[in-house]
Amino acid sequence: MQVHPQSPELDALAEARLRYDTALRHAVQTLRADGTSWADVAQACNIRIADAQAALRQGPD
């Protein structure tokens, strides 16, 4: 049995995560479109290269 707690705080956290993921994807798309290397994208976004690449695989909005 899994417990699925619900609260306004958890809803706010989920919404913030969605906004972060969307902003990250847009930042990575823009930087890569400008020819920025994966290493520089990762450094600019303060994430790992693999996470920058994964952000693009999350799909469009």
Side-chain angles (χ1 to χ4, degrees):
M1 173 181 212
Q2 291 185 340
V3 176
H4 297 284
Q6 292 183 320
S7 72
E9 294 80 12
L10 289 174
D11 292 343
L13 182 60
E15 178 61 31
R17 182 58 185 223
L18 179 60
R19 286 192 315 271
Y20 171 82
D21 290 343
T22 300
L24 177 61
R25 185 172 56 255
H26 287 166
V28 171
Q29 287 171 337
T30 300
L31 289 167
R32 289 295 293 163
D34 289 343
T36 307
S37 72
W38 282 114
D40 288 343
V41 169
Q43 183 177 10
C45 295
N46 197 33
I47 58 175
R48 299 176 314 136
I49 291 172
D51 293 334
Q53 293 168 335
L56 291 184
R57 291 192 297 270
Q58 290 179 351
D61 299 312

